[in-house]
Amino acid sequence: MRQRVIALASVALLCVIAWTTIVSLVRQLRAPVTVQPFIASQYWLTYEHGFVRRGLPGTLLAFAGNPVPHQVVTAIAVMLTISAIAVTVLMSLQLAQSLGDDAPRTLIVLLLVASPLTVSLMVRDLGRYDTIGILALGFFALSRPSYAWRSQSAALATATLIAVLAVGSEEFELAFLVPVLWLWVGRARRTFLVVVAIPVAVMVASLLMRPSTAVVTAVLGKARAEGVLVTPQGSAVGALSNTLRQQFDYLANVNRGELTLSILLTTGSFLVLAWLLRRHGVFDAVPPGMRWVGLYLILVVVLLGIVGVDYRRWWMHATMTLTAIALISARSAPRLEADLRRSTLTEAWGSLVAALLFIALQAIPVATHTSWQRLRPAWSWNDPRQIVLGAPHAQPTCVLLGDCAG
């Protein structure tokens, strides 16, 4: 009876999350500016002046016109965000289905979609290239492993193409794709090296070929011609030219107390999810060499958080990578009911508390540049009326939320 109550409470919370997600998306779509200028500027960055960091998506979009019409940019940004949210939900459902009968499946789904590191971040940063990486992780997590394809050549070509698209959009995505690709190709070393060779070359070239001042000026000129009011300091394109010293200077200006608390909250969210998945046997089928993949992801996030500042984004990639690894492992090994049925009533209540913690975290400002009072979360949980009625609230900006760098 109590477990049923917990399940019903989880479903109710999922309904609330679904409603707030829809309200947030509709609010964004009805806003005067659907895609924030800081994010929108990146869509006009192309390879027309030579290879440049994160210029692949803009190069592909240039086939729709040069410069790309603003309406096309908005449509693509919205499609990417909605697709990434759908993939996140689908991965969560698939993961829950792979668990034993006694595991709190609904709570697993709740923890993933309610995390401040997944859906809410996608809505807040609508149109950011991170969604391309999430879609790539979703492909490998939801598709059959390469050894199950009829044509190995087609499998490897598809995996290489998707990895290149993800890395060409966000070069650091390769750090999250590596463990997923290793499992997806069946841990075949030679096949793995073939798949990652081109993405590695793209990542190295991206780190070396940052856009010059002339390129940034040309790109922002195209954006302004399409009605996007943006400056080099307030654009994703301008931030691509930042040196490591500038990144450190930016980090040094963030309030120490707020930064520390934000890191603890985001790290704690990831660890709670990882603990729950491990507790219910999700990683039982993971090869011995992958048992410490959680620590690897934490190390990657810490390093990228230092040099790229936007650590919430990296935690989102780490969370989705962890989910993808769990899905691939569950698909490649038979489910061991005796090992997976570990859920006790106490653990179920603990899971519910963890789920409520995830939701509460979304009301807490993260990585602030200013005082707590001036901020608004992606979903305004501070006012219950905004959950039910979808009342408008102030849009967060990259300056307030500390996401302008990287």
Side-chain angles (χ1 to χ4, degrees):
M1 179 62 182
R2 291 183 178 180
Q3 289 179 335
R4 182 174 298 180
V5 171
I6 295 175
L8 290 175
S10 302
V11 171
L13 289 172
L14 281 172
C15 292
V16 172
I17 293 166
W19 173 254
T20 54
T21 302
I22 294 172
V23 168
S24 298
L25 280 173
V26 171
R27 185 184 298 143
Q28 285 275 70
L29 296 175
R30 295 178 61 184
V33 179
T34 302
V35 184
Q36 295 300 314
F38 173 80
I39 296 175
S41 63
Q42 63 192 343
Y43 286 87
W44 284 277
L45 181 63
T46 68
Y47 293 155
E48 63 180 308
H49 299 293
F51 185 90
V52 67
R53 183 184 182 191
R54 301 182 194 176
L56 181 57
T59 301
L60 297 177
L61 280 179
F63 288 103
N66 193 5
V68 183
H70 194 184
Q71 295 85 346
V72 173
V73 168
T74 300
I76 295 297
V78 172
M79 288 172 53
L80 286 174
T81 299
I82 294 177
S83 299
I85 292 174
V87 165
T88 301
V89 173
L90 186 57
M91 289 174 65
S92 304
L93 294 174
Q94 289 280 338
L95 180 59
Q97 188 177 9
S98 69
L99 296 174
D101 295 335
D102 290 345
R105 296 175 175 178
T106 310
L107 289 171
I108 293 292
V109 176
L110 178 63
L111 284 171
L112 281 168
V113 300
S115 170
L117 310 175
T118 55
V119 174
S120 66
L121 195 57
M122 298 175 195
V123 174
R124 199 203 74 187
D125 288 342
L126 190 146
R128 202 156 193 170
Y129 282 172
D130 297 291
T131 53
I132 299 176
I134 299 303
L135 292 175
L137 289 171
F139 171 82
F140 294 116
L142 299 172
S143 65
R144 294 176 299 170
S146 63
Y147 52 81
W149 288 47
R150 290 185 178 181
S151 172
Q152 284 294 297
S153 298
L156 299 184
T158 302
T160 302
L161 177 61
I162 292 175
V164 168
L165 287 173
V167 177
S169 308
E170 166 56 73
E171 63 279 0
F172 296 125
E173 183 65 31
L174 184 62
F176 301 99
L177 282 174
V178 163
V180 175
L181 285 170
W182 173 251
L183 288 178
W184 192 80
V185 300
R187 306 191 299 278
R189 182 178 303 177
R190 184 173 299 178
T191 304
F192 171 76
L193 293 176
V194 170
V195 171
V196 301
I198 298 179
V200 167
V202 172
M203 183 194 72
V204 173
S206 298
L207 293 175
L208 296 176
M209 304 298 292
R210 298 171 179 267
S212 63
T213 303
V215 171
V216 172
T217 302
V219 170
L220 297 186
K222 292 182 180 180
R224 295 191 193 99
E226 292 297 323
V228 178
L229 302 179
V230 66
T231 63
Q233 294 75 23
S235 68
V237 176
L240 294 179
S241 300
N242 287 352
T243 63
L244 189 60
R245 177 57 184 268
Q246 288 175 309
Q247 300 287 68
F248 285 134
D249 290 343
Y250 177 88
L251 194 62
N253 291 328
V254 179
N255 182 278
R256 292 290 184 275
E258 295 173 359
L259 179 63
T260 302
L261 180 59
S262 299
I263 292 175
L264 289 176
L265 290 174
T266 50
T267 306
S269 299
F270 178 80
L271 291 177
V272 167
L273 179 61
W275 170 83
L276 186 63
L277 293 177
R278 187 177 184 86
R279 183 68 174 173
H280 292 288
V282 174
F283 298 110
D284 284 358
V286 173
M290 297 283 288
R291 294 291 170 84
W292 300 101
V293 68
L295 294 179
Y296 163 78
L297 292 174
I298 292 175
L299 179 62
V300 169
V301 171
V302 170
L303 292 177
L304 293 181
I306 293 174
V307 301
V309 179
D310 305 344
Y311 54 87
R312 273 193 74 180
R313 294 170 52 208
W314 311 129
W315 280 122
M316 175 178 68
H317 290 288
T319 301
M320 298 306 298
T321 300
L322 198 69
T323 306
I325 291 172
L327 274 173
I328 297 174
S329 300
R331 187 181 295 112
S332 61
R335 191 171 64 185
L336 303 176
E337 295 291 346
D339 292 335
L340 291 176
R341 298 190 179 199
R342 302 174 178 175
S343 179
T344 63
L345 184 61
T346 302
E347 290 175 358
W349 276 110
S351 302
L352 180 59
V353 172
L356 294 174
L357 173 63
F358 270 79
I359 295 174
L361 285 175
Q362 297 184 71
I364 300 175
V366 177
T368 65
H369 224 338
T370 172
S371 65
W372 294 93
Q373 291 75 16
R374 291 183 58 190
L375 296 171
R376 297 292 185 273
W379 294 344
S380 293
W381 297 89
N382 294 335
D383 187 351
R385 293 173 301 175
Q386 294 182 358
I387 299 177
V388 180
L389 302 177
H393 68 282
Q395 289 288 339
T397 65
C398 68
V399 175
L400 290 178
L401 290 169
D403 280 345
C404 292

